[in-house]
Amino acid sequence: MSDIQKPKPPFPDQQQQQTPGRTAPMTPQPDHGEKSYRGSGRLAGKAAIITGGDSGIGRAVAIAYAREGADVLIAYLDEDEDARETARWVEEAGRKAVLLSGDIKDPAHCKEIVERAAREFGRLDVLVNNAAYQMTYPSIEDISDEEWDKTFDTNIGAMFRITRAAMKHMKSGAAIINTTSINADKPNPGLLAYAATKGAIQNFTAGLAQMLAEKNIRVNCVAPGPIWTPLIPSTMPQEKVEQFGSQVPMKRPGQPAELAVAYVMLASDEASYISGATIAVTGGAPIL
C-alpha cells in the first residue's frame, strides 16, 4: 500500500463503548500486514510472547514474527474474536500460536503468561511488552485514584512483573522490546496518566538495558506516534477520532503494519549491538 492509498482523516463516527475496543467495527479497517508482510527467516526457531497481541500493533507484530519463523504466545484481556483472528494468521504462516486471556494487572497472571510460554515452546527468546490502557480526561480533577492506578498497573506494573518472571527463561541473545509512545517525549495533556506511564517505560527500558548487558540480553523500546488501532475509537472522543493523525507531518495515522519492521529488527540477531534504544515510528514527528 503506497502512502497515497493509506487512510487520512477525517474519519467517520465510530465510538466504541468497550475498552480496549474491537477491530471489526473500525472504519477504515487497520492494516496489520496481512497481505503485505513478507518474511525472510530472521526469527527462525525463536519463541516470543506478545502482550496485547490480539489486535493493533500486537497483531501486526505477531503476523510479522510468525512469517519470520517464530512461535508466538498471544496474551490479551478478553477480546476473544480478535485474538482468534491473530492466531489464525500465525498458524497460516506455519507457526504455533498460543492464546492466553487474562488481566495483566494481576501479578499471578503475569507469571502465568511466562510459564505458559516456557511450557508450550520450551524456550523464550523474545518478550514484547505491548499491552496498554489509556483514557482521555480534560482535567486532572477528572482522574480518580482508581483510574490512575489502573493505568500504571496495566502499562508499567505488569511490564515489570512479566519481565521479572521472564528472566529465568531468557538466555544470552534474547531480546525484550517495550512499547512506549511519542507521549514519553511530547505528552498529550488529555492523556496525562497514559503519557506518564510511557515516560516511565522509556526510563525502565534504559535502566534495564544496562542491568542486563552482561547477560547479553538486549532491551529496547519502540515509540509509536498516532497509530490506527481499536484503542482510538474506544478511548477518545469523536472529535479526536475524526482528526486522528492529522497532527504529525505526514498528516495521517500510522497503520499497525508500519511498526512491525521495527519490532522484527529489534528481535533479530542482526540487532546484536542495539540495546537501550528508542525507535521512533511517528510519521515525521521528531523525538529528540
Side-chain angles (χ1 to χ4, degrees):
M1 188 185 293
S2 71
D3 282 342
I4 294 173
Q5 295 171 306
K6 289 185 172 70
K8 296 183 178 183
F11 298 116
D13 188 355
Q14 53 189 297
Q15 293 300 107
Q16 295 188 34
Q17 299 305 312
Q18 66 271 32
T19 303
R22 303 295 186 269
T23 303
M26 295 183 69
T27 305
Q29 282 283 288
D31 175 13
H32 307 96
E34 293 94 337
K35 296 181 180 179
S36 60
Y37 193 89
R38 300 288 182 267
S40 57
R42 296 176 74 186
L43 305 179
K46 293 185 184 292
I49 290 170
I50 304 173
T51 68
D54 57 289
S55 63
I57 296 169
R59 179 184 290 183
V61 174
I63 290 171
Y65 277 17
R67 293 181 184 176
E68 294 290 355
D71 296 326
V72 182
L73 183 142
I74 299 157
Y76 66 101
L77 182 58
D78 58 7
E79 312 87 341
D80 296 315
E81 183 179 350
D82 275 354
R84 287 192 296 267
E85 178 68 4
T86 302
R88 184 178 72 81
W89 286 107
V90 171
E91 291 165 351
E92 191 174 284
R95 306 311 306 176
K96 185 174 183 179
V98 176
L99 296 178
L100 184 59
S101 64
D103 191 345
I104 59 173
K105 297 196 306 298
D106 178 2
H109 183 63
C110 293
K111 292 180 181 179
E112 183 184 5
I113 290 170
V114 173
E115 294 306 316
R116 178 75 179 277
R119 288 197 308 271
E120 294 279 356
F121 305 140
R123 59 189 296 161
L124 179 57
D125 304 287
V126 184
L127 170 60
V128 179
N129 287 305
N130 171 69
Y133 169 78
Q134 70 176 33
M135 193 58 71
T136 305
Y137 290 96
S139 167
I140 190 171
E141 289 91 348
D142 296 326
I143 304 173
S144 67
D145 288 348
E146 291 76 16
E147 177 72 9
W148 185 266
D149 291 345
K150 177 181 180 179
T151 309
F152 270 79
D153 284 348
T154 303
N155 295 4
I156 185 68
M159 183 177 293
F160 160 69
R161 295 183 180 95
I162 295 169
T163 302
R164 183 178 61 185
M167 283 301 95
K168 68 178 180 179
H169 301 287
M170 302 192 93
K171 296 180 170 58
S172 176
I176 298 167
I177 306 164
N178 301 322
T179 302
T180 181
S181 169
I182 192 172
N183 280 279
D185 188 66
K186 293 180 172 62
N188 179 339
L191 295 170
L192 188 64
Y194 171 85
T197 66
K198 292 302 181 175
I201 288 167
Q202 195 170 34
N203 193 286
F204 174 74
T205 299
L208 188 64
Q210 297 172 75
M211 182 179 285
L212 298 183
E214 289 188 0
K215 296 182 178 181
N216 194 34
I217 296 174
R218 297 177 296 103
V219 190
N220 295 287
C221 55
V222 177
I227 308 299
W228 189 240
T229 76
L231 264 182
I232 306 312
S234 66
T235 65
M236 290 187 171
Q238 175 53 29
E239 62 269 18
K240 297 289 187 182
V241 176
E242 182 180 354
Q243 295 300 323
F244 187 69
S246 61
Q247 72 273 32
V248 300
M250 288 188 180
K251 303 298 183 186
R252 66 169 178 88
Q255 293 296 316
E258 296 181 280
L259 286 95
V261 64
Y263 289 84
V264 169
M265 183 272 290
L266 292 173
S268 71
D269 294 337
E270 290 92 337
S272 56
Y273 199 59
I274 302 174
S275 196
T278 298
I279 307 298
V281 188
T282 59
I287 293 181
L288 303 176

